[in-house]
Amino acid sequence: MVTLDLRHFYASALVAGGASVKQVQLVLGHVSAVITLRIYARLWPGEEDRTRSVMDAVLGDLRTGCGQVGDSTREIAGQRA
């Protein structure tokens, strides 16, 4: 059972690191990518995950472009200080 746990951990780490189905298939020694996907498909990000990541990146860029944290000027009660 320990070997199976280590194997699953290894596969999970590869997927989290961005490895493709084909790469994981090859290092685990599966005969086909279908076998790899049957076992580990849930580990790869789905379309919702990709969409969320893209929007997080876009919105993060917008937030950082709206002003620098720690500007020498600040606004208090509508007045620049």
Side-chain angles (χ1 to χ4, degrees):
M1 189 66 173
V2 172
T3 303
L4 209 55
D5 291 340
L6 288 174
R7 186 175 172 86
H8 185 74
F9 174 78
Y10 183 57
S12 299
L14 290 172
V15 173
S20 70
V21 175
K22 192 67 176 172
Q23 289 171 314
V24 176
Q25 173 208 341
L26 292 173
V27 297
L28 293 180
H30 293 153
V31 174
S32 74
V34 172
I35 293 169
T36 306
L37 284 171
R38 272 193 208 138
I39 300 167
Y40 300 108
R42 71 188 187 296
L43 299 178
W44 272 277
E47 294 303 316
E48 290 178 8
D49 297 320
R50 286 189 195 97
T51 302
R52 190 176 308 110
S53 295
V54 167
M55 292 311 298
D56 284 347
V58 167
L59 295 174
D61 288 346
L62 289 175
R63 279 193 300 265
T64 58
C66 290
Q68 299 295 323
V69 175
D71 275 345
S72 58
T73 61
R74 57 191 171 130
E75 190 168 312
I76 300 173
Q79 302 292 321
R80 282 201 166 274

